[in-house]
Amino acid sequence: MSYIRQLIGMFFLVVIVCGGPYMLYVEKEEVHFAPERVVTYTVYLLQQIGEGSLGTYYSGNDERSIAEDIVPFAINSFELMFYSVLIAVLASLLFGLFLQRFAFVRYFQKLLNLLSTIPDFVLIFLSILAAIQFYKWTNIRIITLSPTSDSSNMWFPLTMLAIGPTIFLMKVISLKYGQIGGEDYIKTALAKGMGIWHILVHHVYKNVKPFLLADLKKTIAITVANLFIVEYLLNVVGLTRFIFSKNGIYQFNAAVMGLMGIILLSILVYLLIRAILYLFEQIAVYK
């Protein structure tokens, strides 16, 4: 029952957030506060849900059913979120922990530390400019910038989306590796002649894991924040399209369903990454 209450509370929180533009509006240079407008839209949305429909939204000049589009949109957003977070976790463990002792990895981390000084949206914008220049040189199109066309591929948006969370999580793991590597029990394990891999997996990883799980939620939050930018700029057909319509019209039903869908996908991604880490531990750590 507690999960149901949390889900209901989350839904109404999303309703309040999405209803902001209707509660506060400017008319004749005066700011008006009208919460009753959100109540009206919410009642209509609940009626649509009760009838087995989620309402409609406009894509350009076409009126489309939210219920028909929400599943394929959610699949595209899920793939971007899940694989970008998975890349961040794998890269942080690989380069921030297991391969940390190699010199080329430390140089790679210095490059990422340099990139971390640049905001994520600037990195995405610079990547788009680089893709445009690449097209001018080779006549090979890897992105679609036309607002009337959808993205031509998924690997480029996925790459852009994975940059931010990977940099963040790798810095966290590298920092904890440096702190744990100097502990007395690590020195004792080395003095006993234990192998490097054994120490990394059975001693360092176990102590890094709590910090990894603690920052996994922050990693997903960074991914979600960048998802809005990536899907909008690269014309990815995802859940953010319900929130940022191509014709610029804000639609309450679509915004609520889009934002609620992104939140639920974030929870699903978190649970799946936890499951993958659990399988890794059962295979490599606790075998």
Side-chain angles (χ1 to χ4, degrees):
M1 291 296 294
S2 61
Y3 292 107
I4 296 177
R5 294 194 192 97
Q6 291 177 5
L7 187 61
I8 294 175
M10 187 184 305
F11 174 78
F12 283 105
L13 178 61
V14 169
V15 165
I16 294 174
V17 171
C18 295
Y22 295 102
M23 285 192 291
L24 290 172
Y25 63 96
V26 178
E27 185 177 323
K28 296 181 179 179
E29 299 183 353
E30 294 183 357
V31 178
H32 298 269
F33 179 67
E36 66 276 3
R37 300 178 67 189
V38 178
V39 175
T40 302
Y41 281 107
T42 304
V43 170
Y44 174 75
L45 174 60
L46 293 176
Q47 289 175 346
Q48 293 290 311
I49 295 175
E51 295 172 0
S53 171
L54 301 178
T56 61
Y57 75 104
Y58 283 91
S59 179
N61 296 322
D62 299 327
E63 185 177 9
R64 300 179 60 86
S65 170
I66 296 176
E68 292 180 0
D69 290 345
I70 193 169
V71 173
F73 286 14
I75 291 175
N76 289 337
S77 293
F78 169 76
E79 289 178 350
L80 285 178
M81 291 174 59
F82 174 72
Y83 288 117
S84 61
V85 175
L86 183 61
I87 289 172
V89 172
L90 293 178
S92 62
L93 289 176
L94 185 62
F95 296 106
L97 178 59
F98 297 118
L99 300 179
Q100 179 72 256
R101 62 187 186 275
F102 296 106
F104 79 92
V105 174
R106 291 193 290 271
Y107 287 118
F108 178 65
Q109 289 178 348
K110 290 181 180 179
L111 175 61
L112 291 182
N113 289 336
L114 179 62
L115 292 176
S116 66
T117 61
I118 306 174
D120 291 345
F121 75 92
V122 176
L123 285 176
I124 295 172
F125 181 72
L126 292 177
S127 300
I128 292 175
L129 294 180
I132 294 173
Q133 190 62 46
F134 179 78
Y135 174 76
K136 292 180 179 179
W137 288 341
T138 63
N139 204 33
I140 299 176
R141 181 169 61 89
I142 58 178
I143 62 172
T144 302
L145 297 179
S146 172
T148 59
S149 301
D150 297 331
S151 177
S152 58
N153 60 73
M154 291 296 286
W155 66 265
F156 188 80
L158 175 60
T159 303
M160 296 299 97
L161 191 60
I163 292 176
T166 300
I167 292 176
F168 167 76
L169 201 56
M170 190 177 297
K171 288 180 65 176
V172 171
I173 299 301
S174 298
L175 178 62
K176 297 306 175 183
Y177 172 87
Q179 294 175 350
I180 294 172
E183 295 291 339
D184 291 337
Y185 61 88
I186 300 296
K187 297 177 181 178
T188 302
L190 288 172
K192 290 182 178 180
M194 295 182 181
I196 294 297
W197 176 257
H198 178 87
I199 294 174
L200 289 175
V201 172
H202 295 277
H203 295 282
V204 180
Y205 172 77
K206 287 182 180 180
N207 288 278
V208 166
K209 177 189 171 183
F211 300 99
L212 171 63
L213 296 181
D215 287 304
L216 181 58
K217 295 179 181 179
K218 296 179 183 178
T219 303
I220 295 176
I222 294 173
T223 304
V224 171
N226 290 341
L227 180 72
F228 287 88
I229 303 174
V230 169
E231 286 194 352
Y232 184 79
L233 291 181
L234 300 180
N235 295 313
V236 176
V237 183
L239 288 175
T240 61
R241 183 159 293 189
F242 287 138
I243 302 172
F244 302 117
S245 177
K246 287 186 175 182
N247 59 3
I249 299 176
Y250 183 78
Q251 300 159 91
F252 179 76
N253 280 25
V256 171
M257 290 297 103
L259 187 55
M260 193 68 190
I262 291 174
I263 293 174
L264 294 177
L265 287 183
S266 301
I267 297 173
L268 178 59
V269 168
Y270 175 77
L271 295 176
L272 288 175
I273 296 298
R274 288 290 301 266
I276 292 174
L277 291 174
Y278 174 79
L279 290 176
F280 166 74
E281 292 165 11
Q282 295 303 312
I283 294 173
V285 181
Y286 299 112
K287 63 179 180 178

